[in-house]
Structures are given as C-alpha cells and as structure tokens.
Amino acid sequence: MGSKMTIPGNKGIWHGYDSYRFEVEGIESIVVTADSPLKGNPWIWRARFFNADPALDLAMLRHGVHLVHTDITDLAGGPEAMQRMDRFYDYLVKKLNFSASPILESYSRGALPALNWGIRNPEKISMLILDSPLCNLNSWPKTPFEREICRKAGVLTEDFAIVPEWNPVDNLEPLIQHKVPISIIYEKNDNVIPIKDNTALLLERMKAGNGNVRAYPGKYEFTDDDIENLASAAVKALK
C-alpha cells in the first residue's frame, strides 16, 4: 500500500475516485487518488486533455496508480511548459510524497510537452504512453492562429521557423540511451495527425537507435482487453 498523503485543494469525485483541485505556483492542477495505491505512491501524468478518452487512466487507478494533471494549455511543449512541469513534479515528489518515477501519458498535441519533458528528464520517468501523438512541428501548427501560439510558446522563431531543440522527433537520443519504454497507440488511417510525419517517423527513429518502443496500431477505441494489457505493462514498467 502507498504511504499516507495529505492532498490540498477542493475535494471532488472523478469517475468514482477522490479528486483534488489546487494550484501549484498559480497553475491549476489535479490529483485523482487510487482507492488502494501501490507501494511508493506511483502516478500517471496526463500531459494534456485531461478527461479525454479516460479508459487507460481509469484502468491505472484500478491498478493502484494515482492520476495527475497540471495546466500547460497552449504552451506547445516549449520552455514555459517545461518550467511548469518541473515545478509540478517537484511539488508532487517533495511535498506530497509521490514516487520519483511517474508514467507520462499524452494524447494528440499533448505529445509535444510529454516528449520534450521526457527528453530532458529521461531518468525521472518509468514509461511514456503516447496516444495518437503529434510529435513533429513540421506537421503542426497549420493555421496563423496556431503558428502565433507556437511563436509565443517559443517553439517557433519570430519568423515562424521551427526551433530545433523543441521538435521532439528530432531529439529522441536521451530516451533511446536511457531505454525509456515507449508505447504508441495510433490509428492507421488517422486523418487528423499525419502518420508519416509523426508516429511512423518516431517509430523509425526509435527502432534505428534500438530504442525501447512498442506500437499498438488499430482503432481509436481500444477494447477493454487492449486497455488492460497496456495498463498491466505500464504497472510493470514502474520503477
């Protein structure tokens, strides 16, 4: 069983589990606690789009893994997103007695901050789970509004060129060197996130470096067995 924690903030219920909303240095954050947490209080960190397709999050809670999220909306995985994630990680580990090696989970554009934080902190994560990942700034942003978001976030220059250090698919070496397990869920016919420039390129580069990567191609809606198998693999990967 996990050690005792005192979670701050407003208590509520999320899909039947106790949830807490509070701020870390002014940034809205969420912790959903497992009813019977595993030893060491392991956690899965949803980088973006909290509550979107939560089947895996619920499976992890059933396995005794806490679920967390902090707001990094419209920061495109850039410097401010990294700073917020650093502060949130330190708060959970040092103040709330969470484990030091979470599972980092993303959905769609959430792969930008998830991968960029993992690339900068490979020794701190047990696993990366990327669902329909957008991990290449050559395929997004597309519109002037999106490009302005990315410019303000610091991942594009003032002339809207990609800043190389913030394009995850070009900076995978730390994840490869540390053998960080990566599981990728993707739809073969995804017409939103271009497979060729994102998932396929990520898999190609991870495999070329002998990285620890596994792909789950198929449909957006996984079966219950698919979710359970992935959750079990994630629990085994916890350090």
Side-chain angles (χ1 to χ4, degrees), residues 45 72 81-89 104 113-114 117:
W45 187 352
I72 49 173
M82 298 300 98
Q83 292 168 19
R84 289 189 187 186
M85 293 174 78
D86 286 343
R87 292 193 294 265
F88 188 55
Y89 173 90
L104 195 48
W117 199 82

Side-chain angles (χ1 to χ4, degrees), residues 56 216 221-231:
L56 176 61
Y216 293 83
E221 295 297 331
F222 264 28
T223 66
D224 290 343
D225 286 342
D226 291 329
I227 292 293
E228 185 57 32
N229 289 338
L230 183 55

Side-chain angles (χ1 to χ4, degrees), residues 43-61:
W43 44 299
I44 183 167
W45 187 352
R46 183 72 176 251
R48 278 289 314 273
F49 304 111
F50 184 78
N51 204 34
D53 297 326
L56 176 61
D57 298 328
L58 291 168
M60 295 301 290
L61 285 163

Side-chain angles (χ1 to χ4, degrees), residues 60-128:
M60 295 301 290
L61 285 163
R62 290 194 297 271
H63 277 274
V65 178
H66 305 302
L67 169 66
V68 311
H69 170 77
T70 196
D71 183 27
I72 49 173
T73 304
D74 291 341
L75 297 177
E80 176 60 25
M82 298 300 98
Q83 292 168 19
R84 289 189 187 186
M85 293 174 78
D86 286 343
R87 292 193 294 265
F88 188 55
Y89 173 90
D90 287 345
Y91 183 84
L92 292 185
V93 172
K94 297 175 181 179
K95 300 293 186 180
L96 298 188
N97 202 30
F98 277 58
S99 78
S101 301
I103 295 164
L104 195 48
E105 175 196 9
S106 75
Y107 176 71
S108 187
R109 294 197 307 273
L112 294 173
L115 279 165
N116 278 337
W117 199 82
I119 286 165
R120 286 157 178 77
N121 301 277
E123 75 288 352
K124 292 181 179 178
I125 56 175
S126 294
M127 185 179 190
L128 272 163

Side-chain angles (χ1 to χ4, degrees), residues 47-213:
R48 278 289 314 273
F49 304 111
F50 184 78
N51 204 34
D53 297 326
L56 176 61
D57 298 328
L58 291 168
M60 295 301 290
L61 285 163
R62 290 194 297 271
H63 277 274
V65 178
H66 305 302
L67 169 66
V68 311
H69 170 77
T70 196
D71 183 27
I72 49 173
T73 304
D74 291 341
L75 297 177
E80 176 60 25
M82 298 300 98
Q83 292 168 19
R84 289 189 187 186
M85 293 174 78
D86 286 343
R87 292 193 294 265
F88 188 55
Y89 173 90
D90 287 345
Y91 183 84
L92 292 185
V93 172
K94 297 175 181 179
K95 300 293 186 180
L96 298 188
N97 202 30
F98 277 58
S99 78
S101 301
I103 295 164
L104 195 48
E105 175 196 9
S106 75
Y107 176 71
S108 187
R109 294 197 307 273
L112 294 173
L115 279 165
N116 278 337
W117 199 82
I119 286 165
R120 286 157 178 77
N121 301 277
E123 75 288 352
K124 292 181 179 178
I125 56 175
S126 294
M127 185 179 190
L128 272 163
I129 300 175
L130 312 174
D131 188 345
S132 306
L134 191 149
C135 51
N136 188 351
L137 292 169
N138 283 296
S139 60
W140 184 87
K142 296 179 180 179
T143 68
F145 176 74
E146 292 168 343
R147 286 193 289 272
E148 182 63 16
I149 287 175
C150 290
R151 184 193 67 78
K152 289 181 177 179
V155 301
L156 298 183
T157 67
E158 291 299 314
D159 296 328
F160 301 104
I162 294 171
V163 179
E165 67 180 293
W166 297 108
N167 197 26
V169 77
D170 293 332
N171 297 286
L172 300 170
E173 191 58 31
L175 300 174
I176 293 172
Q177 290 181 351
H178 282 78
K179 296 292 184 183
V180 175
I182 300 178
S183 288
I184 305 174
I185 306 165
Y186 70 100
E187 165 59 53
K188 292 180 179 179
N189 299 315
D190 194 329
N191 58 5
V192 177
I193 309 296
I195 294 296
K196 180 181 178 181
D197 296 329
N198 290 276
T199 293
L201 187 57
L202 178 62
L203 286 171
E204 175 187 325
R205 292 180 176 179
M206 289 295 299
K207 290 177 179 178
N210 197 29
N212 187 357
V213 64

Side-chain angles (χ1 to χ4, degrees), residues 22-29 70-71 80 84 87 91:
F22 54 96
E23 291 186 352
V24 176
E25 297 190 25
I27 306 303
E28 184 178 4
S29 305
T70 196
D71 183 27
E80 176 60 25
R84 289 189 187 186
R87 292 193 294 265
Y91 183 84

